[in-house]
Amino acid sequence: MRTMYKLIPFLLLAAPALTAQDKNAAGYPITPVPFTSVKVNDHFWGQRLKASREVTIPLAFRKCEETGRYDNFVKAAHPSESYKVEGYSFDDTDVYKTIEGASYSMQTYPDKKLDRYMDSVLVLVAAAQEPDGYLYTARTMNPLHPHEWAGSKRWEKEEILSHEFYNLGHMIEGAIAHYQATGKRNFLDIAIKYADCVEREIGDAPGKEIRVPGHQIAEMALAKLYLVTGRQKYLDLAKFFLDKRGYTSRKDEYSQAHKPVVEQDEAVGHAVRAVYMYSGMADVAALTGDPAYIRAIDKIWDNVVSKKLYITGGIGALHHGEAFGKNYELPNPTAYNETCAAIANVYWNHRLFLLHGDAKYYDVLERTLYNGLISGVALDGGTFFYPNPLESDGKYKFSQGACHRQDWFGCACCPSNLSRFIPSLPGYIYAVKDNSIYVNLFMGNTAQLEVNGKKVNLRQVTEYPWNGDIRVEVDPEARQAMALKFRIPGWAQNRVLPSDLYTFADQKQAGYTVQVNGKPVKSELKNGYFTVDRTWKKGDKVTLHFDMQPRVVKAHEKVEADQGRVSFERGPVVYCAEWPDNNFTISSVVLPENPAVEVIDRSDLLNGIKQLRTGAQSLFMENGSLQAKNVQLTLIPYYAWSHRGDGQMAVWLAQDLSAVKLGK
């Protein structure tokens, strides 16, 4: 049902025009094609985008109304000692993140009512901003008795709990998306004013305070603000926040302050904070060329991909501290894998691709996207996971007191983060460098790109991820020499990850073919890309085929939780066994050494999926003796679990008797 947005009753102010000093800065070595240039019309992702547009974003806005997020801005515009400051010190960010997602969505699906609604909300936000730009309702609404996490004065508790810089980061991210989608400056100017306030008061110069973000994100946001405005001071502030980390009051692993960032080589501490920081480090590495930053961020990435990444692309193994575990510490039923961490993992790998131009980063990004990220939101867009475990007994309440997705959380970072990420997806498909176009993700879309100053239209047609056939139609303005670089996924090259953390355990060999206008072409892969370099004309077509068959995966021998077990995947999709499809105890199953796997088309189930089915045995005790019965084990995509009630689920399934938990 289409949501009718009701205007927040405040007068809309006109936004000033772009000023001369606001101009794009030099950016990454590779330039992403922005979300404003790509329209996704894909069946798989079209459903997700529709659910986000019609359910997730309206739900998030409604929750901002119902939970007093908007009221906080109204109160901050009219401060009073009588106000009791409640909730979290970062509740403002739910408003910013939802506006960000709505802005992305409107680029594909214009909505005048939604546009006016956001403008009315932004009037509330602008009215809450103090004259010097400071905007933090948790303090401003009652300066004498602010939020208990805020401290008695600005920035006092930033490195612990206040989240003042975190609020700034999400404000900037939302404001830039809103500006790019609408061309309006009303949100961007608010964000610039707050950024200028922070830049005036924080730094090395006399009279300034030295503070670093408690919860990182301002670093990557300030780098983005530099790219949009061309103002060097924002990039300098981002680098300052990173350079000073480990030299202030905090020196703990939880906040990645245990050593200077350029000396770090292992992912530690709170996973979301960490990977937002790593994304900011990638920004600084790319935009400054600082070799110390490049070396550090590459080492940390290698550590995650070789020792700390779940098969679903999830990160952050531990509930305690919402943190990375030790190397190879990847438990399944108690896996935390916060949805926000999966989103952060996409941001990080996207930046590393833009820096290095290697397809391996998109291999990780794609794995996260199709599995550990979209598992965080229901197919209808209305309920959410905070953690994303790889096993459930239907009893352990891993999801904030439940075994299933919920419609909101008191700490609502995951729902609002999903509301902003899903609509931004069109901006991850393509990238451009000189006369080259990178084709990184496979989904139905139309795109208008610019290569060497000339317009090029692309149309991609595919049923990916359910089959491996992709057609790309090329339509340049005129005959044009350029190189199309197609990512050949690691799984199509018989590689699970760009590390030995997981490997294929079967004897199958995947392959791929590339044709131009129906004729096979050859090219040596370079950095994971198949390059077709030619003079293109209107009507040219490239056809890719990836062999897409079920594969059996095993984990590195040091991953204790997965020993004696295997998992299944097909293409980019990881599978799991869930109780509604199997009338036996899932943990009691033992698989044969070489399981034969059948692919079953279930267009009627879970918005349309491909099931996997294989023979197995279910073990159980009867009259004091071990018994076995032959069963058909059915698997569904991991992202689709927990839509049919609470019960057993497992990604890793026993192939050795030592890994079996007997049924009754």
Side-chain angles (χ1 to χ4, degrees):
M1 180 181 295
R2 190 169 181 79
T3 299
M4 303 299 290
Y5 290 94
K6 183 179 179 182
L7 297 187
I8 303 298
F10 276 77
L11 178 67
L12 175 61
L13 303 177
L18 195 67
T19 61
Q21 65 177 325
D22 292 320
K23 50 189 177 183
N24 289 334
Y28 271 85
I30 299 172
T31 302
V33 174
F35 71 96
T36 51
S37 298
V38 184
K39 303 290 187 289
V40 171
N41 50 30
D42 181 82
H43 178 71
F44 183 91
W45 287 107
Q47 291 177 329
R48 289 286 182 169
L49 290 166
K50 183 174 186 287
S52 180
R53 181 176 76 254
E54 296 185 356
V55 179
T56 309
I57 291 170
L59 170 65
F61 275 135
R62 189 174 72 249
K63 290 294 185 180
C64 285
E65 294 180 14
E66 294 173 354
T67 60
R69 262 71 165 174
Y70 294 158
D71 290 342
N72 289 343
F73 290 99
V74 175
K75 291 175 180 177
H78 304 89
S80 171
E81 292 182 41
S82 65
Y83 294 144
K84 184 178 181 181
V85 186
E86 299 178 302
Y88 288 98
S89 60
F90 47 82
D91 282 349
D92 295 354
T93 65
D94 294 325
V95 177
Y96 307 149
K97 286 185 280 186
T98 309
I99 290 175
E100 181 181 350
S103 299
Y104 291 131
S105 182
M106 281 203 311
Q107 182 60 33
T108 305
Y109 298 96
D111 187 330
K112 292 181 179 179
K113 289 183 178 179
L114 175 57
D115 191 20
R116 290 195 297 269
Y117 175 86
M118 287 196 294
D119 281 338
S120 70
V121 172
L122 288 171
V123 172
L124 302 184
V125 175
Q129 189 162 36
E130 296 188 22
D132 67 350
Y134 186 74
L135 210 175
Y136 180 65
T137 67
R139 181 186 312 283
T140 305
M141 72 169 72
N142 187 344
L144 294 180
H145 305 286
H147 193 283
E148 60 181 340
W149 290 1
S152 61
K153 59 183 180 180
R154 293 181 184 183
W155 330 126
E156 182 180 56
K157 289 190 176 181
E158 167 55 37
E159 296 181 9
I160 307 172
L161 291 169
S162 76
H163 291 78
E164 287 152 288
F165 297 163
Y166 177 76
N167 285 15
L168 169 67
H170 275 299
M171 179 191 295
I172 292 172
E173 295 270 335
I176 291 173
H178 182 261
Y179 169 66
Q180 291 174 330
T182 68
K184 298 177 184 179
R185 291 273 313 236
N186 46 340
F187 196 8
L188 183 62
D189 286 329
I190 296 169
I192 287 174
K193 194 174 179 182
Y194 190 16
D196 288 346
C197 170
V198 174
E199 193 274 337
R200 283 193 306 271
E201 298 189 15
I202 303 297
D204 267 329
K208 292 188 175 185
E209 295 185 48
I210 295 177
R211 293 279 191 272
V212 299
H215 192 311
Q216 300 92 318
I217 196 175
E219 301 89 340
M220 55 192 282
L222 285 162
K224 188 179 289 187
L225 189 60
Y226 158 73
L227 290 173
V228 170
T229 66
R231 299 180 189 177
Q232 181 68 32
K233 65 181 182 180
Y234 300 134
L235 180 58
D236 292 344
L237 182 57
K239 190 172 187 297
F240 171 85
F241 281 156
L242 292 165
D243 286 345
K244 293 300 180 182
R245 199 164 202 88
Y247 293 101
T248 62
S249 61
R250 294 200 71 162
K251 300 183 184 298
D252 55 308
E253 286 193 350
Y254 173 84
S255 62
Q256 300 76 44
H258 56 299
K259 61 176 72 172
V261 298
V262 294
E263 296 178 14
Q264 296 185 27
D265 56 9
E266 180 181 357
V268 297
H270 189 280
V272 179
R273 295 172 184 236
V275 183
Y276 281 166
M277 186 183 85
Y278 304 153
S279 297
M281 289 174 66
D283 285 330
V284 168
L287 298 176
T288 68
D290 188 324
Y293 271 83
I294 296 172
R295 285 193 298 271
I297 201 62
D298 287 347
K299 288 180 181 179
I300 296 169
W301 185 85
D302 285 340
N303 172 253
V304 170
V305 174
S306 64
K307 298 177 177 67
K308 298 192 177 187
L309 186 72
Y310 279 90
I311 190 69
T312 58
I315 51 175
L318 307 180
H319 278 247
H320 179 68
E322 301 177 326
F324 285 103
K326 299 175 183 177
N327 289 338
Y328 301 108
E329 184 180 7
L330 297 166
N332 292 309
T334 60
Y336 199 66
N337 285 347
E338 185 178 338
T339 300
C340 286
I343 292 171
N345 203 21
V346 168
Y347 293 151
W348 183 28
N349 279 278
H350 186 229
R351 283 163 166 79
L352 288 173
F353 159 74
L354 297 174
L355 173 62
H356 292 304
D358 197 309
K360 66 183 182 180
Y361 302 110
Y362 257 91
D363 286 346
V364 177
L365 187 157
E366 181 181 66
R367 178 170 294 275
T368 304
L369 180 64
Y370 279 92
N371 301 291
L373 193 157
I374 58 173
S375 60
V377 57
L379 295 169
D380 66 4
T383 54
F384 311 92
F385 274 146
Y386 206 107
N388 292 271
L390 276 72
E391 185 176 328
S392 175
D393 61 4
K395 299 174 183 177
Y396 169 53
K397 296 180 179 180
F398 62 87
S399 180
Q400 305 284 300
C403 302
H404 48 261
R405 297 177 185 86
Q406 299 188 65
D407 66 353
W408 200 250
F409 305 102
C411 176
C413 55
C414 294
S416 58
N417 228 356
L418 284 160
S419 76
R420 79 179 180 122
F421 176 79
I422 296 293
S424 76
L425 183 64
Y428 292 88
I429 302 172
Y430 301 107
V432 173
K433 181 180 182 182
D434 301 327
N435 75 327
S436 297
I437 299 173
Y438 291 84
V439 181
N440 283 316
L441 292 177
F442 307 109
M443 60 186 73
N445 70 84
T446 58
Q448 186 174 87
L449 295 69
E450 194 169 286
V451 180
N452 284 339
K454 299 177 182 178
K455 290 182 180 178
V456 179
N457 293 317
L458 296 181
R459 179 171 179 256
Q460 194 178 144
V461 181
T462 182
E463 294 181 5
Y464 197 90
W466 305 128
N467 73 43
D469 296 317
I470 300 107
R471 185 175 78 248
V472 179
E473 300 171 1
V474 185
D475 181 13
E477 267 188 325
R479 295 174 69 91
Q480 184 171 349
M482 57 186 176
L484 265 63
K485 294 180 174 290
F486 297 95
R487 180 177 66 92
I488 306 301
W491 58 262
Q493 302 176 63
N494 301 292
R495 187 178 64 243
V496 181
L497 277 178
S499 75
D500 64 353
L501 185 56
Y502 304 105
T503 54
F504 289 122
D506 52 40
Q507 303 304 311
K508 297 176 182 177
Q509 290 295 312
Y512 64 91
T513 60
V514 182
Q515 295 184 342
V516 176
N517 297 328
K519 297 180 180 180
V521 291
K522 300 291 185 182
S523 174
E524 287 190 14
L525 291 188
K526 184 176 181 181
N527 293 330
Y529 288 93
F530 186 106
T531 301
V532 183
D533 193 347
R534 67 196 298 268
T535 298
W536 299 86
K537 64 183 185 304
K538 183 179 177 64
D540 283 342
K541 295 180 177 65
V542 181
T543 304
L544 306 174
H545 171 77
F546 302 132
D547 293 342
M548 192 174 280
Q549 51 191 330
R551 301 299 302 268
V552 180
V553 178
K554 65 179 180 180
H556 191 284
E557 62 182 11
K558 292 184 179 179
V559 182
E560 183 178 339
D562 299 335
Q563 292 314 294
R565 302 173 187 271
V566 294
S567 64
F568 293 83
E569 59 184 56
R570 181 175 180 270
V573 178
V574 173
Y575 279 74
C576 69
E578 192 185 18
W579 68 273
D581 309 301
N582 301 284
N583 61 354
F584 45 84
T585 303
I586 290 171
S587 60
S588 73
V589 163
V590 61
L591 290 158
E593 184 177 355
N594 297 300
V597 186
E598 178 186 6
V599 180
I600 302 168
D601 185 12
R602 289 298 305 271
S603 58
D604 61 322
L605 183 65
L606 299 168
N607 281 3
I609 61 170
K610 300 285 188 184
Q611 283 184 333
L612 303 184
R613 187 176 296 167
T614 187
Q617 286 191 316
S618 175
L619 306 184
F620 58 97
M621 296 298 296
E622 186 174 271
N623 297 324
S625 63
L626 180 64
Q627 303 291 321
K629 65 177 179 179
N630 294 329
V631 296
Q632 288 292 307
L633 179 69
T634 300
L635 301 104
I636 64 168
Y638 169 75
Y639 72 76
W641 86 280
S642 191
H643 284 88
R644 296 171 290 174
D646 297 346
Q648 284 197 330
M649 179 279 295
V651 169
W652 291 96
L653 300 156
Q655 198 173 43
D656 188 280
L657 287 176
S658 64
V660 174
K661 297 177 183 178
L662 292 180
K664 296 179 179 180

